[in-house]
PDB file of all heavy atoms in Angstrom:
ATOM      1  N   HIS B  33      21.122   0.066 -21.674  1.00 95.00           N
ATOM      2  CA  HIS B  33      20.148  -0.900 -21.154  1.00 95.00           C
ATOM      3  C   HIS B  33      20.250  -2.282 -21.782  1.00 95.00           C
ATOM      4  O   HIS B  33      19.900  -3.283 -21.169  1.00 95.00           O
ATOM      5  CB  HIS B  33      18.728  -0.371 -21.385  1.00 95.00           C
ATOM      6  CG  HIS B  33      18.314  -0.441 -22.827  1.00 95.00           C
ATOM      7  ND1 HIS B  33      17.424  -1.371 -23.286  1.00 95.00           N
ATOM      8  CD2 HIS B  33      18.732   0.263 -23.901  1.00 95.00           C
ATOM      9  CE1 HIS B  33      17.287  -1.211 -24.606  1.00 95.00           C
ATOM     10  NE2 HIS B  33      18.065  -0.220 -24.991  1.00 95.00           N
ATOM     11  N   GLY B  34      20.699  -2.349 -23.035  1.00 92.00           N
ATOM     12  CA  GLY B  34      20.685  -3.614 -23.750  1.00 92.00           C
ATOM     13  C   GLY B  34      21.874  -4.516 -23.431  1.00 92.00           C
ATOM     14  O   GLY B  34      21.913  -5.668 -23.841  1.00 92.00           O
ATOM     15  N   GLU B  35      22.853  -3.987 -22.703  1.00 92.00           N
ATOM     16  CA  GLU B  35      24.023  -4.794 -22.351  1.00 92.00           C
ATOM     17  C   GLU B  35      23.770  -5.553 -21.056  1.00 92.00           C
ATOM     18  O   GLU B  35      22.885  -5.219 -20.289  1.00 92.00           O
ATOM     19  CB  GLU B  35      25.245  -3.878 -22.158  1.00 92.00           C
ATOM     20  CG  GLU B  35      25.702  -3.207 -23.432  1.00 92.00           C
ATOM     21  CD  GLU B  35      27.054  -2.533 -23.229  1.00 92.00           C
ATOM     22  OE1 GLU B  35      27.910  -3.109 -22.548  1.00 92.00           O
ATOM     23  OE2 GLU B  35      27.222  -1.413 -23.740  1.00 92.00           O
ATOM     24  N   ARG B  36      24.610  -6.553 -20.820  1.00 92.00           N
ATOM     25  CA  ARG B  36      24.530  -7.259 -19.540  1.00 92.00           C
ATOM     26  C   ARG B  36      25.778  -6.978 -18.722  1.00 92.00           C
ATOM     27  O   ARG B  36      26.151  -7.746 -17.845  1.00 92.00           O
ATOM     28  CB  ARG B  36      24.384  -8.762 -19.767  1.00 92.00           C
ATOM     29  CG  ARG B  36      22.999  -9.131 -20.267  1.00 92.00           C
ATOM     30  CD  ARG B  36      22.832 -10.629 -20.388  1.00 92.00           C
ATOM     31  NE  ARG B  36      21.520 -10.936 -20.945  1.00 92.00           N
ATOM     32  CZ  ARG B  36      20.429 -11.061 -20.216  1.00 92.00           C
ATOM     33  NH1 ARG B  36      20.483 -10.920 -18.906  1.00 92.00           N
ATOM     34  NH2 ARG B  36      19.268 -11.322 -20.790  1.00 92.00           N
ATOM     35  N   ASP B  37      26.451  -5.875 -19.034  1.00 93.00           N
ATOM     36  CA  ASP B  37      27.759  -5.595 -18.458  1.00 93.00           C
ATOM     37  C   ASP B  37      27.713  -4.244 -17.745  1.00 93.00           C
ATOM     38  O   ASP B  37      27.337  -3.230 -18.339  1.00 93.00           O
ATOM     39  CB  ASP B  37      28.775  -5.544 -19.614  1.00 93.00           C
ATOM     40  CG  ASP B  37      30.195  -5.414 -19.120  1.00 93.00           C
ATOM     41  OD1 ASP B  37      30.400  -5.223 -17.899  1.00 93.00           O
ATOM     42  OD2 ASP B  37      31.104  -5.495 -19.968  1.00 93.00           O
ATOM     43  N   LEU B  38      28.093  -4.230 -16.472  1.00 96.00           N
ATOM     44  CA  LEU B  38      28.097  -2.972 -15.719  1.00 96.00           C
ATOM     45  C   LEU B  38      29.446  -2.247 -15.835  1.00 96.00           C
ATOM     46  O   LEU B  38      29.657  -1.222 -15.192  1.00 96.00           O
ATOM     47  CB  LEU B  38      27.766  -3.231 -14.245  1.00 96.00           C
ATOM     48  CG  LEU B  38      26.361  -3.791 -13.975  1.00 96.00           C
ATOM     49  CD1 LEU B  38      26.153  -4.029 -12.488  1.00 96.00           C
ATOM     50  CD2 LEU B  38      25.278  -2.861 -14.501  1.00 96.00           C
ATOM     51  N   HIS B  39      30.363  -2.781 -16.657  1.00 96.00           N
ATOM     52  CA  HIS B  39      31.659  -2.143 -16.934  1.00 96.00           C
ATOM     53  C   HIS B  39      32.417  -1.770 -15.661  1.00 96.00           C
ATOM     54  O   HIS B  39      33.062  -0.723 -15.595  1.00 96.00           O
ATOM     55  CB  HIS B  39      31.461  -0.904 -17.824  1.00 96.00           C
ATOM     56  CG  HIS B  39      30.993  -1.241 -19.209  1.00 96.00           C
ATOM     57  ND1 HIS B  39      31.849  -1.521 -20.248  1.00 96.00           N
ATOM     58  CD2 HIS B  39      29.738  -1.398 -19.719  1.00 96.00           C
ATOM     59  CE1 HIS B  39      31.159  -1.817 -21.340  1.00 96.00           C
ATOM     60  NE2 HIS B  39      29.871  -1.758 -21.042  1.00 96.00           N
ATOM     61  N   GLY B  40      32.283  -2.592 -14.655  1.00 96.00           N
ATOM     62  CA  GLY B  40      33.073  -2.410 -13.441  1.00 96.00           C
ATOM     63  C   GLY B  40      32.761  -1.168 -12.626  1.00 96.00           C
ATOM     64  O   GLY B  40      33.619  -0.717 -11.854  1.00 96.00           O
ATOM     65  N   VAL B  41      31.567  -0.623 -12.755  1.00 97.00           N
ATOM     66  CA  VAL B  41      31.244   0.576 -11.970  1.00 97.00           C
ATOM     67  C   VAL B  41      31.069   0.205 -10.495  1.00 97.00           C
ATOM     68  O   VAL B  41      30.823  -0.949 -10.133  1.00 97.00           O
ATOM     69  CB  VAL B  41      29.965   1.293 -12.479  1.00 97.00           C
ATOM     70  CG1 VAL B  41      30.174   1.805 -13.898  1.00 97.00           C
ATOM     71  CG2 VAL B  41      28.752   0.376 -12.395  1.00 97.00           C
ATOM     72  N   ASP B  42      31.174   1.231  -9.640  1.00 97.00           N
ATOM     73  CA  ASP B  42      31.060   1.035  -8.193  1.00 97.00           C
ATOM     74  C   ASP B  42      29.679   1.420  -7.669  1.00 97.00           C
ATOM     75  O   ASP B  42      29.341   1.128  -6.523  1.00 97.00           O
ATOM     76  CB  ASP B  42      32.112   1.898  -7.475  1.00 97.00           C
ATOM     77  CG  ASP B  42      33.510   1.629  -8.005  1.00 97.00           C
ATOM     78  OD1 ASP B  42      33.962   0.487  -7.882  1.00 97.00           O
ATOM     79  OD2 ASP B  42      34.138   2.557  -8.560  1.00 97.00           O
ATOM     80  N   ALA B  43      28.917   2.134  -8.502  1.00 97.00           N
ATOM     81  CA  ALA B  43      27.575   2.574  -8.104  1.00 97.00           C
ATOM     82  C   ALA B  43      26.793   2.857  -9.374  1.00 97.00           C
ATOM     83  O   ALA B  43      27.379   3.014 -10.450  1.00 97.00           O
ATOM     84  CB  ALA B  43      27.648   3.831  -7.235  1.00 97.00           C
ATOM     85  N   ILE B  44      25.449   2.890  -9.247  1.00 98.00           N
ATOM     86  CA  ILE B  44      24.604   3.025 -10.437  1.00 98.00           C
ATOM     87  C   ILE B  44      23.488   4.032 -10.181  1.00 98.00           C
ATOM     88  O   ILE B  44      22.877   4.034  -9.102  1.00 98.00           O
ATOM     89  CB  ILE B  44      23.970   1.665 -10.806  1.00 98.00           C
ATOM     90  CG1 ILE B  44      25.053   0.676 -11.254  1.00 98.00           C
ATOM     91  CG2 ILE B  44      22.934   1.814 -11.916  1.00 98.00           C
ATOM     92  CD1 ILE B  44      24.587  -0.741 -11.272  1.00 98.00           C
ATOM     93  N   VAL B  45      23.231   4.864 -11.205  1.00 98.00           N
ATOM     94  CA  VAL B  45      22.076   5.760 -11.170  1.00 98.00           C
ATOM     95  C   VAL B  45      21.119   5.358 -12.293  1.00 98.00           C
ATOM     96  O   VAL B  45      21.538   5.191 -13.443  1.00 98.00           O
ATOM     97  CB  VAL B  45      22.496   7.234 -11.355  1.00 98.00           C
ATOM     98  CG1 VAL B  45      21.271   8.140 -11.426  1.00 98.00           C
ATOM     99  CG2 VAL B  45      23.428   7.678 -10.229  1.00 98.00           C
ATOM    100  N   LEU B  46      19.847   5.179 -11.940  1.00 98.00           N
ATOM    101  CA  LEU B  46      18.795   4.996 -12.945  1.00 98.00           C
ATOM    102  C   LEU B  46      18.129   6.362 -13.115  1.00 98.00           C
ATOM    103  O   LEU B  46      17.512   6.867 -12.185  1.00 98.00           O
ATOM    104  CB  LEU B  46      17.763   3.958 -12.480  1.00 98.00           C
ATOM    105  CG  LEU B  46      18.324   2.588 -12.079  1.00 98.00           C
ATOM    106  CD1 LEU B  46      17.181   1.667 -11.629  1.00 98.00           C
ATOM    107  CD2 LEU B  46      19.077   1.946 -13.226  1.00 98.00           C
ATOM    108  N   PRO B  47      18.255   6.954 -14.297  1.00 98.00           N
ATOM    109  CA  PRO B  47      17.854   8.355 -14.458  1.00 98.00           C
ATOM    110  C   PRO B  47      16.355   8.527 -14.721  1.00 98.00           C
ATOM    111  O   PRO B  47      15.633   7.565 -14.954  1.00 98.00           O
ATOM    112  CB  PRO B  47      18.663   8.794 -15.682  1.00 98.00           C
ATOM    113  CG  PRO B  47      18.742   7.551 -16.512  1.00 98.00           C
ATOM    114  CD  PRO B  47      18.834   6.402 -15.534  1.00 98.00           C
ATOM    115  N   GLY B  48      15.955   9.784 -14.717  1.00 97.00           N
ATOM    116  CA  GLY B  48      14.565  10.121 -15.005  1.00 97.00           C
ATOM    117  C   GLY B  48      14.259  10.061 -16.488  1.00 97.00           C
ATOM    118  O   GLY B  48      15.147   9.912 -17.322  1.00 97.00           O
ATOM    119  N   GLY B  49      12.976  10.168 -16.794  1.00 96.00           N
ATOM    120  CA  GLY B  49      12.541  10.139 -18.185  1.00 96.00           C
ATOM    121  C   GLY B  49      11.268   9.344 -18.335  1.00 96.00           C
ATOM    122  O   GLY B  49      10.468   9.244 -17.394  1.00 96.00           O
ATOM    123  N   PHE B  50      11.087   8.776 -19.516  1.00 96.00           N
ATOM    124  CA  PHE B  50       9.872   8.004 -19.809  1.00 96.00           C
ATOM    125  C   PHE B  50      10.296   6.732 -20.540  1.00 96.00           C
ATOM    126  O   PHE B  50      10.017   6.562 -21.727  1.00 96.00           O
ATOM    127  CB  PHE B  50       8.900   8.833 -20.662  1.00 96.00           C
ATOM    128  CG  PHE B  50       8.429  10.076 -19.969  1.00 96.00           C
ATOM    129  CD1 PHE B  50       9.162  11.243 -20.038  1.00 96.00           C
ATOM    130  CD2 PHE B  50       7.260  10.062 -19.213  1.00 96.00           C
ATOM    131  CE1 PHE B  50       8.735  12.390 -19.374  1.00 96.00           C
ATOM    132  CE2 PHE B  50       6.837  11.196 -18.548  1.00 96.00           C
ATOM    133  CZ  PHE B  50       7.570  12.368 -18.628  1.00 96.00           C
ATOM    134  N   SER B  51      11.002   5.850 -19.831  1.00 95.00           N
ATOM    135  CA  SER B  51      11.510   4.652 -20.489  1.00 95.00           C
ATOM    136  C   SER B  51      10.363   3.880 -21.126  1.00 95.00           C
ATOM    137  O   SER B  51       9.307   3.699 -20.523  1.00 95.00           O
ATOM    138  CB  SER B  51      12.265   3.768 -19.488  1.00 95.00           C
ATOM    139  OG  SER B  51      11.447   3.399 -18.408  1.00 95.00           O
ATOM    140  N   TYR B  52      10.591   3.450 -22.359  1.00 94.00           N
ATOM    141  CA  TYR B  52       9.581   2.714 -23.139  1.00 94.00           C
ATOM    142  C   TYR B  52       8.241   3.446 -23.170  1.00 94.00           C
ATOM    143  O   TYR B  52       7.174   2.825 -23.170  1.00 94.00           O
ATOM    144  CB  TYR B  52       9.409   1.285 -22.590  1.00 94.00           C
ATOM    145  CG  TYR B  52      10.673   0.471 -22.733  1.00 94.00           C
ATOM    146  CD1 TYR B  52      11.609   0.444 -21.709  1.00 94.00           C
ATOM    147  CD2 TYR B  52      10.942  -0.220 -23.912  1.00 94.00           C
ATOM    148  CE1 TYR B  52      12.793  -0.274 -21.853  1.00 94.00           C
ATOM    149  CE2 TYR B  52      12.122  -0.934 -24.057  1.00 94.00           C
ATOM    150  CZ  TYR B  52      13.033  -0.965 -23.021  1.00 94.00           C
ATOM    151  OH  TYR B  52      14.191  -1.670 -23.170  1.00 94.00           O
ATOM    152  N   GLY B  53       8.297   4.771 -23.180  1.00 93.00           N
ATOM    153  CA  GLY B  53       7.073   5.557 -23.311  1.00 93.00           C
ATOM    154  C   GLY B  53       6.084   5.338 -22.181  1.00 93.00           C
ATOM    155  O   GLY B  53       4.896   5.618 -22.340  1.00 93.00           O
ATOM    156  N   ASP B  54       6.572   4.862 -21.023  1.00 92.00           N
ATOM    157  CA  ASP B  54       5.678   4.549 -19.904  1.00 92.00           C
ATOM    158  C   ASP B  54       4.660   3.462 -20.272  1.00 92.00           C
ATOM    159  O   ASP B  54       3.626   3.319 -19.614  1.00 92.00           O
ATOM    160  CB  ASP B  54       4.929   5.796 -19.389  1.00 92.00           C
ATOM    161  CG  ASP B  54       5.779   6.656 -18.466  1.00 92.00           C
ATOM    162  OD1 ASP B  54       6.862   6.203 -18.052  1.00 92.00           O
ATOM    163  OD2 ASP B  54       5.338   7.776 -18.141  1.00 92.00           O
TER     164      ASP B  54
END
Side-chain angles (χ1 to χ4, degrees):
Chain B
H33 73 106
E35 293 191 40
R36 287 184 183 273
D37 186 353
L38 296 179
H39 293 272
V41 297
D42 306 299
I44 294 164
V45 176
L46 305 180
F50 298 86
S51 58
Y52 296 91
D54 280 349

